[in-house]
Amino acid sequence: MTSKQEKLTALFKSARVVPVLTINRLEDAVPLARALVSGGVRMLEVTLRTKVAVDAAKAIIANVPDAIVGIGTILNADDLARAEELGAKFGISPGATPQLLKAAAASNLPFAPGIATASELMQALAHGFETMKFFPAEQAGGIKALRALAGPFPQVQFCPTGGIGETNAPTWLAEPNVIAVGGSWLCQAVDIKSGNWAGITAMCERTVKSAKAA
Ligand code: 3PG
């Protein structure tokens, strides 16, 4: 494993839960990040799914020093370069095209490709990645699928996302090849829209508590 990968693996292991942030209004970025950090959740995946995503990530980096900001929904080499330029600490993709894997292997950004099948996983392994996002986790076969992948690929560690929430997060975290879980349940669209920062902090506190017990 390369040192940039070791960095990402260590980040996942210490975080255990990683919120997937979709920020539509720039002014929500900093209070949202503060709410997550207050709840004990520091590793944040800001997805490139909205027009303000890059500025939102920059605002969080500038104003919330305790947040460890990464970029999610990285789809190609340009997205990867944008993440590196803005000072992200890590990058995550829902998938793994050959072009993206090549660019990520050449970049200094700690990066987790997304996989849902053995063949995708093997492509990621061929580019030197051993820590991966399993996406969409529940929809792609859930824990049974992940256990099946552990057979031929014991060296791979996962952060599953997709369909994970407060109730099933501890079950996923109890799997030996799961180092963290991610998802949008920690900062739901309805709470962001209404500015329910206290509700987001409370959700984080509950999840962190149950993750520690898992
Ligand atoms: C992701 O990019 O990881 C997913 O959108 C998260 O899925 P969820 O919304 O089901 O948590």
Side-chain angles (χ1 to χ4, degrees), residues 75-110:
L75 303 183
N76 50 50
D78 286 348
D79 291 344
L80 193 77
R82 276 202 284 170
E84 237 185 319
E85 269 161 36
L86 70 83
K89 291 278 190 290
F90 61 93
I92 300 185
S93 177
T97 67
Q99 294 86 344
L100 178 58
L101 288 168
K102 198 174 158 210
S107 126
N108 286 322
L109 189 72

Side-chain angles (χ1 to χ4, degrees), residues 134 136-146 172:
F134 177 47
E138 284 289 345
Q139 299 86 341
I143 284 176
K144 279 188 184 166
L146 197 75
W172 280 97

Side-chain angles (χ1 to χ4, degrees), residues 20 49 133 135 161-163 183-184:
V20 173
R49 292 180 198 176
K133 167 167 169 152
F135 176 80
T161 81
S184 59

Side-chain angles (χ1 to χ4, degrees), residues 34-100:
R34 287 197 177 124
L36 292 160
V37 169
S38 297
V41 169
R42 294 181 56 207
M43 185 178 181
L44 315 182
E45 177 187 340
V46 179
T47 62
L48 293 179
R49 292 180 198 176
T50 66
K51 286 190 182 132
V52 302
V54 166
D55 288 335
K58 285 183 184 165
I60 298 170
I61 291 169
N63 295 288
V64 191
D66 286 341
I68 301 162
V69 179
I71 295 295
T73 319
I74 290 182
L75 303 183
N76 50 50
D78 286 348
D79 291 344
L80 193 77
R82 276 202 284 170
E84 237 185 319
E85 269 161 36
L86 70 83
K89 291 278 190 290
F90 61 93
I92 300 185
S93 177
T97 67
Q99 294 86 344
L100 178 58

